[in-house]
Amino acid sequence: MTNRIFTVLGALILLVGLILPLWVSGYWVRTITLLFMLAGMAQGWNFIGGYTGYPAFGNVVFFGMGAYTTGILMNKLGLPFVPSFVASGVVGGLFAVLVGLPVLRLKGHYFAIATLGVAEAVREIADNWESLTEGGRGMTLPINYAPHFSHYVYYTMLGILLVAILTTYLLSRSKWIYGMVAIREDEEAAKAMGINTTWLKILAFALSGLFTGLIGGLYAYWNTFIDTNSVFTISYTLYMIIITILGGPGTVWGPIIGAVIFHALRTFLWLRFTELHALFLGFVIVVVVIFMPKGVMDVVRGRRRFTFKYFLQTVRESKV
Amino acid sequence: MGVIEISQTIVNGLLLGGVLALVALGFSIVWGIMNIINIAHGAFVMVGAYVAFWLFKLYGLDPFLSVPIAMAVLFVVGYLLQRYLINLVMRAPMLVTFLLTFGLEVIIVNLALLWWTASWRAVTTTYSGTGFNVGGVQVPYIKLAGLGISLLLAWLLTLFMNRTRTGNAIRAVGMDMEAARLMGVNVRHVYALTYGIGAAMAGAAGAILSMIVIVTPEMGGAYTLRAFVICVLGGLGSVPGAMVGGLVFGLVEAFAGIRWPGMDLAVAFAVLVVILIFRPSGIMGKAFYH
């Protein structure tokens, strides 16, 4: 039943998504492109953080490296966008494998801080490697003057998001997903059952890296200017995580629902209280993790309803 | 590098390490007793620095006299935050507690940006930049006093944990929360107390740092990562571990800073990776609070 609702809902959103840019203004095209971007990055985090249960706090590193890959290839080597964009995804995925091999041996707090450390360390290296990245001054990409450039970005972003959803969906119907969920619930037991935990963890992390890298590459082309502070900011990592948790970690539709709610709130607040915008992220994190750490999907699946009692119950389960 | 230059770097490293050890001390007690990685710890350092800065700017109070004031302010802030907010998720999965302290960090830093703006502030006392000279090696007074305060506070904390009833209650909760509760320990109060002490240590470190580095709302983040590395380096959950870890880390950072300037966090991270590979229990081995 729930599945059918989601199929219809998904088809409807897709249809609206496809024809929307023909009607709305440039502001809304930009806002909705941003929504796709956040949803796609959350979907990327969902592989490692949601299904596999590894608290990755450095996923922005894939975004930043994707952005700089496209930036460097287009700016320094004069390559066109499409191959640079593909390279961004490859770099993101490969970097995830390289970092994942040592880092995915760690667990819990150690994994969280190690990933956070990777992201900060890469930002610092990018800041200091001026011959390649132009350091703190930032990098300007060739500007595309095509009249429908914003539509081009819109559809590409939508395309990445759809592929990410499709990948999650196919994965959620494969045997691998049971392995990933088993790792989340009890890694030692999963290993004892003969599950190749290393391979599955690397796969989940690489998928995160691939999609986040692609989105980073497209973002660089879209924004035409990148600097280390804006593309390696910890805020993006927090967005990915809180959106996934808000929607429902370890579900196909959770990150999408989370992104819609989060982005709607954010856009609404941005219009009214610009200076409180950053504070808002902090408050959303605090409220969501205390009152609904299982996300909207926990309710949508029909087991419970959002009542005062639900929130009280959640708090009672975890307080001291 | 000549002998003088090497000695100077060692002195710089140890003096820097003293303050870093103080930051790590508070981080370590919260982690060891409550199993919480307190991402907001760096933000507490920042608030401590601003307490010292404003008291100096508005009332001309010497920043060293602000150390106890900053500690008191942050103790209260930490106690209340733990009692009424973090306690709500103490039994939740690690991701939840980690994220909650991250959310608190974002809130505190942005409130600071809102109230105190992003301007760079500095505390310049009459004795700033002065020091004495030992065979060509400069020893600045402020940093030396910072190391002294750091050692003093570590000693006081050890005494408190070992000699007082409250300290013993804190250690008991850290060993086995349920058992301590059955023995009649008020766990909520003890957790809040522990978090408050952790925040107070951060406040003291912040007040000292206000005289050494530039004070901005975003100064704290780098100290959180360093504190984590120092705790892993020294071995989690021991006062001597945090002190030794801090001093060793200060040396590593001082020497690495000559070769790779501006790469502090990358160096800290490299140290973390090396320890996790070769000696996961830290230099001092695994020890509990004693």
Side-chain angles (χ1 to χ4, degrees):
Chain A
M1 180 59 193
T2 334
N3 269 342
R4 206 171 303 157
I5 292 176
F6 273 112
T7 319
V8 174
L9 207 66
L12 208 68
I13 293 170
L14 180 60
L15 198 71
V16 173
L18 281 176
I19 53 177
L20 200 65
L22 306 179
W23 279 309
V24 296
S25 67
Y27 168 77
W28 282 103
V29 170
R30 193 178 162 79
T31 304
I32 294 170
T33 311
L34 212 53
L35 168 68
F36 294 157
M37 181 172 124
L38 291 173
M41 291 202 292
Q43 198 68 270
W45 189 83
N46 197 21
F47 292 114
I48 186 71
Y51 284 107
T52 320
Y54 266 65
F57 271 81
N59 271 20
V60 71
V61 74
F62 307 130
F63 180 82
M65 288 184 85
Y68 268 95
T69 304
T70 291
I72 291 162
L73 289 181
M74 290 183 75
N75 203 3
K76 307 251 158 171
L77 300 182
L79 284 183
F81 170 65
V82 175
S84 315
F85 170 67
V86 173
S88 290
V90 173
V91 166
L94 280 182
F95 187 70
V97 174
L98 272 180
V99 170
L101 279 171
V103 167
L104 282 166
R105 289 162 177 273
L106 306 172
K107 292 194 180 66
H109 293 137
Y110 292 88
F111 178 77
I113 292 278
T115 46
L116 192 68
V118 170
E120 285 299 303
V122 169
R123 182 180 60 80
E124 248 179 25
I125 292 168
D127 238 355
N128 283 285
W129 196 344
E130 296 210 351
S131 59
L132 189 69
T133 64
E134 298 180 23
R137 275 173 293 137
M139 184 184 269
T140 309
L141 278 81
I143 295 172
N144 188 322
Y145 291 105
H148 289 294
F149 178 60
S150 63
H151 289 182
Y152 176 79
V153 174
Y154 176 96
Y155 286 116
T156 316
M157 203 66 97
L158 180 60
I160 304 173
L161 176 61
L162 289 176
V163 175
I165 295 173
L166 190 69
T167 310
T168 316
Y169 177 74
L170 291 177
L171 193 72
S172 75
R173 300 183 69 103
S174 73
K175 68 168 187 176
W176 288 336
I177 208 71
Y178 293 102
M180 289 179 183
V181 172
I183 292 172
R184 181 179 75 199
E185 299 302 330
D186 188 339
E187 187 166 349
E188 291 308 312
K191 206 182 271 175
M193 295 299 285
I195 293 169
N196 188 344
T197 52
T198 310
W199 146 248
L200 284 176
K201 286 189 286 183
I202 298 270
L203 174 69
F205 207 37
L207 285 172
S208 284
L210 171 70
F211 287 111
T212 315
L214 283 174
I215 292 169
L218 181 57
Y219 172 84
Y221 189 45
W222 181 29
N223 209 44
T224 67
F225 174 79
I226 50 174
D227 66 346
T228 48
N229 282 332
S230 67
V231 298
F232 284 106
T233 166
I234 184 74
S235 301
Y236 279 126
T237 303
L238 292 177
Y239 288 154
M240 297 175 210
I241 299 173
I242 204 62
I243 284 172
T244 312
I245 290 180
L246 176 61
T251 61
V252 178
W253 294 100
I256 315 300
I257 296 172
V260 171
I261 299 172
F262 183 84
H263 194 55
L265 279 172
R266 201 171 82 116
T267 313
F268 172 81
L269 284 176
W270 188 309
L271 288 173
R272 280 157 192 80
F273 317 100
T274 314
E275 73 278 18
L276 297 180
H277 178 254
L279 265 179
F280 163 73
L281 171 65
F283 282 114
V284 170
I285 292 175
V286 170
V287 170
V288 169
V289 298
I290 289 181
F291 292 107
M292 41 185 300
K294 291 185 187 128
V296 177
M297 284 300 282
D298 192 39
V299 172
V300 173
R301 276 167 166 176
R303 269 181 265 148
R304 293 153 128 188
R305 275 192 299 163
F306 271 142
T307 54
F308 188 65
K309 216 173 138 194
Y310 174 86
F311 297 125
L312 217 63
Q313 175 81 21
T314 313
V315 171
R316 197 172 297 138
E317 275 170 17
S318 51
K319 77 168 184 184
V320 166
Chain B
M1 262 169 100
V3 180
I4 291 183
E5 206 180 332
I6 290 177
S7 329
Q8 181 70 61
T9 311
I10 290 175
V11 168
N12 289 348
L14 289 177
L15 293 179
L16 170 76
V19 186
L20 290 179
L22 189 54
V23 178
L25 200 55
F27 189 81
S28 171
I29 184 175
V30 170
W31 187 4
I33 302 291
M34 302 166 56
N35 197 26
I36 282 185
I37 294 293
N38 184 23
I39 298 293
H41 199 69
F44 294 152
V45 173
M46 176 271 292
V47 175
Y50 269 100
V51 168
F53 169 77
W54 286 115
L55 286 176
F56 179 76
K57 174 147 183 168
L58 299 179
Y59 305 105
L61 193 67
D62 190 283
F64 281 111
L65 296 176
S66 298
V67 170
I69 300 174
M71 286 179 77
V73 169
L74 278 144
F75 177 81
V76 173
V77 170
Y79 188 95
L80 294 176
L81 274 179
Q82 171 63 34
R83 185 83 190 227
Y84 296 106
L85 208 60
I86 305 177
N87 250 341
L88 299 179
V89 299
M90 279 305 287
R91 282 189 294 156
M94 168 250 147
L95 176 66
V96 168
T97 53
F98 198 92
L99 256 181
L100 181 61
T101 57
F102 228 126
L104 289 177
E105 196 251 8
V106 172
I107 292 174
I108 297 170
V109 169
N110 281 292
L111 282 178
L113 275 168
L114 213 58
W115 290 333
W116 302 324
T117 73
S119 313
W120 289 19
R121 323 270 193 172
V123 176
T124 316
T125 57
T126 46
Y127 47 86
S128 289
T130 59
F132 59 89
N133 200 310
V134 186
V137 177
Q138 270 293 326
V139 183
Y141 289 132
I142 289 178
K143 287 185 178 179
L144 190 64
L147 176 63
I149 291 175
S150 164
L151 290 172
L152 176 72
L153 286 174
W155 181 64
L156 288 176
L157 183 65
T158 315
L159 280 187
F160 171 72
M161 295 294 261
N162 288 335
R163 301 282 175 84
T164 65
R165 253 180 102 76
T166 318
N168 283 334
I170 291 178
R171 285 166 60 204
V173 170
M175 285 175 200
D176 189 333
M177 188 264 271
E178 291 299 337
R181 175 179 266 170
L182 289 173
M183 295 297 126
V185 175
N186 182 351
V187 173
R188 259 177 250 174
H189 175 65
V190 164
Y191 275 154
L193 215 55
T194 311
Y195 198 81
I197 293 171
M201 294 293 167
I208 296 167
L209 279 168
S210 72
M211 294 175 276
I212 301 173
V213 297
I214 301 285
V215 179
T216 74
E218 280 155 336
M219 67 184 276
Y223 293 101
T224 309
L225 187 63
R226 285 192 181 109
F228 184 91
V229 176
I230 290 169
C231 286
V232 177
L233 185 64
L236 173 65
S238 90
V239 174
M243 298 313 287
V244 173
L247 295 177
V248 171
F249 185 82
L251 284 176
V252 172
E253 199 169 287
F255 277 100
I258 296 174
R259 178 71 184 77
W260 302 287
M263 305 268 271
D264 297 346
L265 293 178
V267 168
F269 179 67
V271 172
L272 178 67
V273 171
V274 170
I275 315 161
L276 286 175
I277 292 171
F278 292 106
R279 196 168 162 76
S281 55
I283 299 174
M284 305 282 283
K286 252 206 164 69
F288 196 70
Y289 266 91
H290 59 137

